[in-house]
Amino acid sequence: MPTTSLDPVLITGCSSGIGAATADLLVKAGHTVYATARRPETLADLEAAGARTLALDVSSEESMATAVKEVEAQHGRVGTLVNNAGYGEYGTIEETDLDKVRAMFETNVFGLARLTQLVLPGMRRAGRGRVVNIGSMGGRITFPVGGYYHATKYAVEAISDALRNEVRGFGIDVVLIEPGLIRTAFEEGVHATVASGAGSQGDSPYAALLASNAASTSASYGNSLLAAGPESVARVVLSAVESSRPRSRYVVTPAARALIGARTLGGDRVWDAYIKRQFKA
């Protein structure tokens, strides 16, 4: 661990997946890590590995403020914040329950933003700090049936870009991690939200698209050339945390880089043709 390391590291959403893998890797690298989750009992393995654990629900102001105060009481400030907590609410734009969409924005966007607000004063006083936001390739490209989830990740892109230039003068870096398909419980969540949504009814005008999406999602996550394990993201986060000059963006997985490049260079016609072929839309 370099002497320039910005500890302690506070990580949200550590009960499984990317958050758990990241907390575990940073602990093994010698960092002081606060692993958090809504249900702290899910963090037993990380605590046994050496992480400090806290309850933190990013949809609760009280929970966020309490967690930040506890870290600051021990260390003076949060050195690095890794905003990882998030989930996907999937379905078509027409049929998805907007109350569920609002709840997703509360976690994926407003929770991220508020927790960042809470740690920034301490970072400014210290004259250094780092905010690492876990975005997605889905903040640069958009697939059907995932429009509202993509909207949250596009929002994280905008927040990260604005914040990076607002806090640079205070010695604070902002880094955006953009994973591609990562094998976690996320795929199960995608299928579950679609299955429970209005579009699950057999008479949905989007039934064929939803079925095609389910098949394509399963095939993509099952393809070792397209999907990777959460440890691949954890390694990139470790690099971003330890680098003396971190990049503003890190795209994780070759497939994600290829898709983002195709979307950027090909324009709407090329992308729409790819979507039509992929989803038989």
Side-chain angles (χ1 to χ4, degrees):
M1 182 177 65
T3 56
T4 56
S5 175
L6 291 165
D7 283 358
V9 182
L10 175 63
I11 309 173
T12 65
C14 294
S15 60
S16 63
I18 291 171
T22 299
D24 183 63
L25 184 61
L26 265 63
V27 166
K28 290 176 178 175
H31 291 277
T32 300
V33 173
Y34 282 82
T36 73
R38 286 181 302 168
R39 295 183 292 114
E41 64 271 18
T42 63
L43 305 172
D45 288 345
L46 290 173
E47 186 173 28
R52 307 181 189 190
T53 62
L54 292 173
L56 200 167
D57 179 352
V58 298
S59 65
S60 165
E61 172 72 20
E62 180 181 4
S63 178
M64 288 187 286
T66 298
V68 171
K69 287 177 182 177
E70 185 162 342
V71 176
E72 290 183 341
Q74 296 296 320
H75 304 275
R77 84 284 185 267
V78 173
T80 300
L81 171 64
V82 180
N83 280 311
N84 168 71
Y87 68 98
E89 190 66 52
Y90 274 63
T92 64
I93 298 301
E94 179 180 349
E95 295 176 319
T96 302
D97 183 340
L98 289 181
D99 285 337
K100 293 181 178 179
V101 172
R102 292 183 183 97
M104 177 176 60
F105 266 85
E106 196 65 47
T107 292
N108 293 10
V109 180
F110 302 123
L112 174 150
R114 181 56 182 147
L115 193 56
T116 300
Q117 289 180 333
L118 289 169
V119 303
L120 283 175
M123 291 182 177
R124 285 191 292 100
R125 287 192 298 269
R128 61 201 303 254
R130 192 156 297 175
V131 177
V132 179
N133 290 331
I134 306 299
S136 170
M137 71 172 181
R140 306 272 291 278
I141 59 178
T142 304
F143 293 104
V145 189
Y148 290 117
Y149 170 73
H150 287 285
T152 68
K153 293 305 183 180
Y154 271 74
V156 171
E157 293 270 335
I159 289 169
S160 300
D161 281 342
L163 182 65
R164 184 176 66 253
N165 289 294
E166 291 171 354
V167 300
R168 179 184 290 116
F170 301 113
I172 301 169
D173 296 307
V174 178
V175 178
L176 180 60
I177 310 294
E178 300 170 320
L181 297 179
I182 304 299
R183 289 186 293 271
T184 64
F186 187 85
E187 180 194 354
E188 298 173 10
V190 171
H191 290 311
T193 58
V194 172
S196 64
S200 63
Q201 304 303 315
D203 59 352
S204 169
Y206 300 99
L209 175 62
L210 293 169
S212 178
N213 172 75
S216 177
T217 298
S218 295
S220 296
Y221 274 96
N223 188 328
S224 60
L225 296 177
L226 297 178
E231 65 280 353
S232 62
V233 182
R235 288 192 293 269
V236 174
V237 175
L238 177 63
S239 177
V241 168
E242 293 190 340
S243 175
S244 59
R245 296 184 64 185
R247 302 205 302 264
S248 59
R249 276 177 171 77
Y250 295 81
V251 180
V252 186
T253 79
R257 287 190 286 272
L259 285 169
I260 291 171
R263 180 68 182 94
T264 302
L265 298 175
D268 290 342
R269 287 189 177 181
V270 170
W271 184 254
D272 288 354
Y274 166 75
I275 292 296
K276 184 176 181 180
R277 187 167 60 251
Q278 182 80 1
F279 291 85
K280 300 178 177 60

